[in-house]
Amino acid sequence: MPKPSLLSLKHWFVPHPHNDHRPHLIRAHGLALVAMLIIGIQITANLARPAGIQALSQGNVLAYATDITPVDLLTQTNEQRAANGLPALKLDARLNQSATLKAQNMFAEDYWAHVSPSGIQPWYWFTQAGYPYSYAGENLAKDFDTTAGTIQGWMNSPGHRANILNANYTDVGFAVQNGTLVGGQTTLVVAHYGSVAGVSVAATVPAATPKPTVKPAAAPATPVATATPAAPTATPSPTATPSPSATPHPVVATGQITPSAPAPQQYSLFKPLSIIRTLNFGTLVTLGLLIILLIVYVTTHLTVWRKGLGRWRTAHYRLFAAAQVSGLAIAIVLLAISGFGKVG
């Protein structure tokens, strides 16, 4: 009796005369198996997500597959600070509330910017949550699959990196909200950084950045993830409550404080390590299966062409081969970029 191991694998993955140069993986039963595997992986990945993440997906049109949580955002933010010799930030309930209020306002007024169309500055939400800040900053992100992808997107942008690594901040709060923003379903992440008035911290201030015109961003053609930081600013008096349209005055410190955000720009995460960090487990496994399928298709069609087999001489087969390879390639690229972001 022949050994089934290598022989069976060869039948499934390698075109050769004994399988009529049609590996079982790209036949009907093989494709059905791949489809069932992908469905099973997606279901398992969703069920394996923490209850808090699953709750974010309830009542929405899309089945959100993000693995972003405030706890993970805090952990990975502090990992970046520790790597740069900075003390850890503390999660503050008031900043969690201010970030949540900002996220809800962005969905309500349907905008993607620091300042709302009605003129509400981000610092307004700090005071609404009862946080008497001396320094304050904001980062935004959307459309990311994972916490690691969100943090990586911010760290790739000088303005956002400056907020994460600002020595003036002692506290942070996060909001992770699902909804429709600027015409697309998204997971919105808001990070509010701050220090309470009267608390003495080292004044490390990022260099000034050009001031852009702040307008709600137009809806992109493809999913983008935008992270928009505000450089650290503060009110001169912690007891003063600014009106929604008030612009806080910067605290005098060594260096220059810029109250404006960097102009939006795209940051590509298309690197092997970044893809692993940006995409969740279910998407990564699905991507791997599609890549294997693509390799088998390409190998098969090249073998049929090289050997000059009769099926390659028919236009129908050549068109079908081109459709298979190009369709899979497009699906792989779309999956690979699904967790990428745009920061500004």
Side-chain angles (χ1 to χ4, degrees), residues 77-92:
T77 294
N78 284 333
E79 287 174 356
Q80 296 292 339
R81 289 176 65 87
N84 287 272
L86 294 170
L89 299 176
K90 301 186 299 293
L91 195 64
D92 189 284

Side-chain angles (χ1 to χ4, degrees), residues 26 71 151 160 183 198 229 237 240 248 261 267-268 292 300 312:
I26 60 174
V71 172
I151 297 297
H160 304 79
S237 172
Y267 286 87
S268 174
I292 292 173
T300 299
W312 186 258

